[in-house]
Amino acid sequence: MNVYFRGGYEAASKHFVEKDLDVSVSGKSYMITGANSGIGKAAAYMIAKKGGTVHLVCRNKERAEDAKADIIKESGNKDIHVHILDLSEPRKVWEFAEAFKKKHKSLNVLINNAGCMVNQREVNAEGLEMNFACNTLGTFILTKSLIPLLEKSSNPRVITVSSGGMLVQKLHLDDLQSEQGRFNGSMVYAQNKRQQVVMTEEWAKMHSNIHFSVMHPGWADTPAVRSAMPDFYRSMKDKLRTADQGADTVVWLAVSEAALAHPSGLFFQDRSPVPTHLPLAWTKTSPEDKQKFMNILDDLAKTFQPH
């Protein structure tokens, strides 16, 4: 999978259309989760530089404020706002999204970038496995709750940062909490990333006036990769993409007109749609199982919804 490394980006970028990103997004608002470092922060800076209002949704207040200060200083855009939220806490995700809708009249783009890879099985206060709670359920609740606000805004888009690791995973409905067998954090993470692809495909069918996409940023040198995959990082660090290279397609999907020429619900890598399954793959799922998965998430999400 050499295309996922820096060399793959450099080869692909030779075919990028420079003017795709030559846009002003002044007057438009963007929410980016996990925006205090890595790909999220890089995307936030690039969008801020183009004049967008940026909402940084982060777990750690101190690091979020530091990121905000950096982005304002480097972009000259002061319209940067910090919101503190842990996506692994479903009740808090609902509460945050409902409060945001009351306070803000529009949201043009939601970028679901936050993620976690916990290598030992841990559960949150509600008894949900941590990777699933953050990567899948948190993303589902945040997006579901914000859809009415997105639908009221012009040219709305939702971009979810997935991973090429999902290509080795088939959607599993029978063990969403990873209770069976030996726990493997990187495989659970890859399963969550497959789940994000399915969510995107299904949302695209349900909400035709929002442009949904999901993408693989490639393997980038970010704090998340360093902490969650230390052995991989040590052996591959000279080949990894920069955070800016990882964020390029996120920003392209968020701001360019060219992205809207593609149908909603696709999986992208380096500004191009790519298959969600390897050739001859056993990873394909029936439409019935995809719908069943969305129903399971919907029912689970409702149990945490404030009344």
Side-chain angles (χ1 to χ4, degrees):
M1 292 296 182
N2 285 335
V3 291
Y4 294 169
F5 291 97
R6 191 189 309 142
Y9 174 84
E10 287 164 354
S13 66
K14 291 189 176 95
H15 306 287
F16 290 174
V17 178
E18 264 183 61
K19 72 173 194 305
D20 281 0
L21 293 186
D22 189 15
V23 293
S24 165
V25 292
S26 180
K28 293 194 169 183
S29 61
Y30 297 76
M31 181 185 289
I32 307 176
T33 64
N36 63 300
S37 68
I39 288 163
K41 184 181 177 186
Y45 163 68
M46 291 182 213
I47 290 167
K49 211 171 171 191
K50 295 179 186 304
T53 298
V54 184
H55 297 277
L56 312 175
V57 178
C58 308
R59 196 171 50 180
N60 181 296
K61 185 165 181 26
E62 191 181 342
R63 279 183 287 196
E65 292 292 351
D66 286 349
K68 174 184 171 179
D70 287 348
I71 291 165
I72 290 173
K73 185 180 168 191
E74 290 168 27
S75 69
N77 180 349
K78 294 196 171 100
D79 212 353
I80 313 298
H81 309 273
V82 162
H83 308 269
I84 303 307
L85 176 67
D86 186 337
L87 278 159
S88 71
E89 298 180 17
R91 276 191 186 84
K92 297 259 174 71
V93 179
W94 273 119
E95 286 163 7
F96 163 73
E98 294 302 316
F100 189 91
K101 283 191 293 193
K102 288 192 178 103
K103 190 173 178 186
H104 299 275
K105 291 191 177 71
S106 73
L107 177 66
N108 300 94
V109 180
L110 168 62
I111 298 172
N112 290 311
N113 166 72
C116 66
M117 189 192 293
V118 181
N119 286 311
Q120 304 294 320
R121 191 178 187 278
E122 293 174 23
V123 295
N124 66 5
E126 285 86 12
L128 299 168
E129 190 275 320
M130 286 295 281
N131 292 295
F132 171 82
C134 174
N135 299 326
T136 303
L137 188 62
T139 299
F140 179 85
I141 292 173
L142 183 64
T143 306
K144 180 183 168 68
S145 181
L146 290 174
I147 278 171
L149 183 60
L150 286 155
E151 286 184 324
K152 286 196 297 191
S153 310
S154 66
N155 268 343
R157 313 182 194 197
V158 175
I159 298 111
T160 301
V161 178
S162 180
S163 167
M166 70 90 195
L167 290 166
V168 300
Q169 288 284 318
K170 179 176 181 172
L171 180 70
H172 296 306
L173 297 180
D174 55 349
D175 188 25
L176 293 177
Q177 303 300 323
S178 305
E179 292 163 300
Q180 300 165 14
R182 186 172 151 271
F183 185 86
N184 179 326
S186 58
M187 286 296 108
V188 172
Y189 178 82
Q191 173 65 205
N192 297 158
K193 295 291 155 179
R194 169 61 72 186
Q195 291 163 353
Q196 290 177 341
V197 170
V198 172
M199 289 192 291
T200 298
E201 291 169 342
E202 295 304 299
W203 281 328
K205 292 177 198 164
M206 294 157 66
H207 305 283
S208 59
N209 50 351
I210 300 176
H211 191 271
F212 288 90
S213 54
V214 61
M215 57 80 68
H216 176 37
W219 304 124
D221 186 345
T222 64
V225 168
R226 274 173 251 158
S227 63
M229 305 163 73
D231 295 340
F232 173 79
Y233 176 74
R234 269 193 301 275
S235 63
M236 294 296 182
K237 62 176 187 256
D238 295 336
K239 294 182 175 179
L240 296 176
R241 297 177 174 207
T242 65
D244 284 0
Q245 290 171 340
D248 175 82
T249 295
V250 177
V251 175
W252 182 81
L253 287 166
V255 308
S256 77
E257 283 301 311
L260 298 179
H262 295 283
S264 183
L266 299 184
F267 180 58
F268 287 81
Q269 181 186 309
D270 294 332
R271 303 194 190 181
S272 290
V274 290
T276 54
H277 300 277
L278 296 169
L280 309 176
W282 48 274
T283 53
K284 292 179 181 168
T285 304
S286 70
E288 294 76 24
D289 276 355
K290 288 182 182 181
Q291 190 54 60
K292 190 176 171 189
F293 171 67
M294 296 299 279
N295 293 342
I296 290 168
L297 287 185
D298 215 24
D299 291 344
L300 187 55
K302 280 176 186 155
T303 64
F304 301 108
Q305 190 168 8
H307 297 297

